[in-house]
Amino acid sequence: MTDSEAPPAKAPEGVSGAPALPQPVLEIASGYAFTGPALDLGALLWDGRCLPDVQIRIPLPMLNRHGLVAGATGTGKTKTLQLIAEQLSAQGVPVFLADVKGDVSGISAPGQENDKVRTRAGEVRQEWTPAGFPCEFYALGGMGHGIPVRATITSFGPVLLSKVLQLNQTQEQSLGLVFHYADQKGLELVDLKDLRAVVTFLTSDEGKSELKGIGGLSTATAGVILRSLTAFEAQGMSPFFGEPEFDTSELSRVAGDGRGTVSVLELPAVQDKPQLFSTFLMWLLADLFHDLPEVGDVDKPKLVFFFDEAHLLFNDASKAFLDAITQTVRLIRSKGVGVFFVTQTPKDVPGDVLAQLGNRVQHALRAFTPDDQKALKATVKTFPNSPYDLEEVLTALGTGEAVVTVLSEKGAPTPVAATRLRAPESLMGPVDPAVLDRAVEQSPLYGRYAEAVDRESAYEKLTAREAGAASAATSSARSTSAPSSGSESASSRGRGRKGDDQDPSVVEQVVGSGVFKSLARSLGTQIGREITRSVFGTARRRR
């Protein structure tokens, strides 16, 4: 009996009479013979041959046990994401994809048949049919092709914002005090100017007394925070913060035909700002964690979230940040959300996080340098024992091939399987920008998020109510005493941003006055009471 004539492997007993398949292959085949719904990845590679009778799959209920897609540049990681996302959508599971390079938008359009596609489909016994999938396209702050995604400063929280501003641990803790104060006083931090106003006040003589009960905020540290905010704004980052704030429940939508919506966050316009977009992705995930109800084990995930360029998230991260990531990944599973980190090697992901990634698709690795060799050996150690020489296999895999191990329906790791992956059925490349823009403008969500809104928040309320009184109070204060050097430095930095080196702005007059103090105390604290912060310090009032 030839390989092609061997019956499909469902259990060791069912294939024991197939002499063409060695015992290790039979054991691998048995490990992937799931009875429930599953995603089809491809066919087994063994001893240089592709065995289409042995299909490598992931059980659908195990997708919320998280995963890793890794491999060197050009080995096919993006196509693997596309393949998995297509099948999830087809089975009614919404998907989130971060499109860093701008080549994932093709998932919305049917693929184009060619010799390569026909050859691959034949090798893995795939019934390939061109198909596009329901998509929504987003862009951070509206920079690029997509519906604008914004967050308020309040909901973004101090831990994530500290990473974006590249603050150290002491500065991060001080920023946390600022957020705590604003939460307690009902001072909404919608955009960057709101945060600047509160920091400026808390460095004033009157503001310092407000923090006596919860810890101190030094003038020097506040100055660093203000300078970081100034530099951040100078890089054009302001559009990412404000309203209308993106409602992350949009990511869990299902199309009218029952297929899951694929939400594609277009990032080419901000790919030179890795700290920003990687942290924003974490905000989306943290917000989902904060808002979604507990569902326990489910027949299929409520959402699968692909976290591309994951190494950027962990680079130079504080301990608080890493702890928050670990806890979020561990707990969000019970809310029906699966998270796949996409990066080059498993060593890009901290061990505590990597230990929670039960589904692994490892594309080829290079071994040209001593560092490459070290990374290769470290990667091999993360896999279960297998009959493969993984060091050799991982350097010999071709494009669109990977080493796979997933969790079985019982939650146990499956045997390691070198796999020739299926071809995506959607377009393997970007759609035309004009087509993409048209899809964005025709989306029912476009009108909800397209235009930024600058409603009343901390800055506007103080300016509107107290401009006259603050001006009088400031004039009186100037006649009796000079401002401290630290306060003067912070104020001058705030003025420098606006190009006004002579007179303080209205908000600086306000926050420097005693009127601010009394108003902050008297502002309704109901808003503050409604704010609860998650492990990341992110916040969300119920919509």
Side-chain angles (χ1 to χ4, degrees):
M1 182 179 290
T2 65
D3 293 345
S4 61
E5 294 171 335
K10 294 185 178 180
E13 294 82 359
V15 294
S16 59
L21 298 179
Q23 187 61 34
V25 172
L26 299 180
E27 293 173 358
I28 293 172
S30 175
Y32 291 89
F34 311 125
T35 58
L39 308 186
D40 296 311
L41 294 180
L44 182 70
L45 289 171
W46 182 264
D47 196 23
R49 296 181 298 162
C50 182
L51 307 179
D53 287 323
V54 183
Q55 291 291 309
I56 307 304
R57 314 164 76 211
I58 305 179
L60 188 60
M62 292 294 111
L63 266 295
N64 71 332
R65 302 298 181 93
H66 310 318
L68 176 75
V69 178
T73 301
T75 56
K77 295 192 300 293
T78 300
K79 300 302 178 286
T80 297
L81 302 189
Q82 198 166 338
L83 174 68
I84 296 174
E86 289 176 354
Q87 295 187 57
L88 286 168
S89 174
Q91 299 201 50
V93 178
V95 177
F96 172 86
L97 293 172
D99 187 6
V100 178
K101 301 171 188 173
D103 54 0
V104 180
S105 59
I107 196 170
S108 63
Q112 297 174 349
E113 189 173 9
N114 54 41
D115 289 342
K116 287 185 177 180
V117 169
R118 281 191 291 268
T119 299
R120 176 57 60 95
E123 290 171 343
V124 300
R125 196 169 294 166
Q126 174 187 6
E127 295 182 6
W128 189 89
T129 304
F133 295 82
C135 289
E136 291 285 1
F137 297 98
Y138 300 97
L140 288 184
M143 293 183 65
H145 303 276
I147 298 163
V149 173
R150 306 178 188 89
T152 64
I153 293 291
T154 285
S155 69
F156 204 72
V159 176
L160 295 178
L161 189 59
S162 293
K163 189 169 194 303
V164 169
L165 296 177
Q166 299 182 21
L167 303 180
N168 63 29
Q169 183 175 350
T170 298
Q171 294 154 1
E172 178 182 314
Q173 292 169 348
S174 296
L175 186 61
L177 289 178
V178 175
F179 274 78
H180 178 73
Y181 177 81
D183 289 351
Q184 293 300 308
K185 297 300 181 181
L187 297 173
E188 291 185 273
L189 306 177
V190 172
D191 50 28
L192 291 173
K193 66 180 183 294
D194 291 320
L195 180 59
R196 178 183 294 278
V198 174
V199 174
T200 303
F201 165 67
L202 291 175
T203 57
S204 69
D205 290 338
E206 291 176 289
K208 289 174 185 176
S209 64
E210 292 285 284
L211 289 177
K212 283 185 178 179
I214 59 172
L217 176 65
S218 73
T219 300
T221 300
V224 171
I225 293 173
L226 286 169
R227 286 195 297 274
S228 297
L229 285 171
T230 299
F232 191 66
E233 290 175 297
Q235 295 172 28
M237 303 297 195
S238 295
F240 305 115
F241 296 98
E243 291 181 322
E245 184 175 68
F246 183 67
D247 184 344
T248 52
S249 66
E250 311 283 13
L251 303 180
S252 302
R253 297 167 63 231
V254 175
D257 60 5
R259 292 183 297 172
T261 298
V262 180
S263 298
V264 181
L265 184 64
E266 295 287 327
L267 295 173
V270 294
Q271 61 179 312
D272 60 337
K273 302 175 176 64
Q275 289 276 0
L276 176 72
F277 75 69
S278 63
T279 311
F280 239 95
L281 293 181
M282 198 65 230
W283 172 74
L284 291 172
L285 190 60
D287 193 71
L288 285 164
F289 171 73
H290 192 260
D291 277 7
L292 289 174
E294 295 280 341
V295 295
D297 291 327
V298 289
D299 293 337
K300 62 183 180 181
K302 301 294 184 183
L303 172 70
V304 175
F305 192 105
F306 288 93
F307 210 123
D308 204 358
E309 301 291 343
H311 64 283
L312 297 172
L313 182 68
F314 303 110
N315 288 349
D316 302 320
S318 68
K319 184 178 185 302
F321 190 82
L322 292 176
D323 289 346
I325 293 174
T326 303
Q327 187 172 355
T328 300
V329 172
R330 182 168 62 247
L331 298 178
I332 202 169
R333 178 189 125 191
S334 65
K335 301 195 174 190
V337 177
V339 183
F340 274 70
F341 292 97
V342 185
T343 188
Q344 294 203 358
T345 72
K347 74 182 186 70
D348 293 334
V349 181
D352 288 345
V353 176
L354 187 64
Q356 300 176 57
L357 310 183
N359 302 298
R360 302 275 299 280
V361 181
Q362 176 68 58
H363 288 266
L365 290 174
R366 309 305 179 211
F368 301 137
T369 69
D371 285 344
D372 291 342
Q373 290 281 358
K374 185 177 179 181
L376 175 61
K377 291 180 182 297
T379 297
V380 170
K381 290 179 180 178
T382 66
F383 280 91
N385 292 332
S386 80
Y388 291 99
D389 180 344
L390 286 180
E391 285 194 34
E392 179 180 342
V393 170
L394 285 172
T395 55
L397 290 170
T399 301
E401 297 176 347
V403 170
V404 174
T405 180
V406 302
L407 293 181
S408 70
E409 292 167 311
K410 296 181 179 180
T414 59
V416 175
T419 306
R420 182 160 293 163
L421 299 168
R422 292 182 167 221
E425 296 184 336
S426 56
L427 183 65
M428 289 187 279
V431 299
D432 184 87
V435 174
L436 182 56
D437 287 338
R438 189 159 55 248
V440 170
E441 292 170 3
Q442 291 175 351
S443 168
L445 301 181
Y446 183 74
R448 189 179 308 171
Y449 297 107
E451 295 297 327
V453 177
D454 190 11
R455 68 172 177 87
E456 280 196 334
S457 52
Y459 176 94
E460 287 78 12
K461 288 177 182 177
L462 293 170
T463 301
R465 293 185 184 185
E466 300 300 322
S471 180
T474 305
S475 298
S476 175
R478 283 176 175 171
S479 66
T480 57
S481 63
S484 68
S485 60
S487 177
E488 193 172 4
S489 174
S491 298
S492 65
R493 293 186 191 107
R495 291 196 299 274
R497 181 178 61 87
K498 298 183 176 93
D500 180 1
D501 295 326
Q502 301 300 319
D503 298 320
S505 68
V506 172
V507 72
E508 286 163 349
Q509 296 175 34
V510 172
V511 299
S513 72
V515 178
F516 182 99
K517 182 176 178 181
S518 62
L519 179 61
R521 286 174 173 164
S522 63
L523 279 172
T525 57
Q526 181 178 359
I527 294 176
R529 286 197 302 268
E530 289 177 358
I531 294 177
T532 56
R533 293 198 174 275
S534 70
V535 291
F536 263 107
T538 56
R540 174 73 69 190
R541 295 184 198 96
R542 297 294 119 184
R543 284 178 276 262

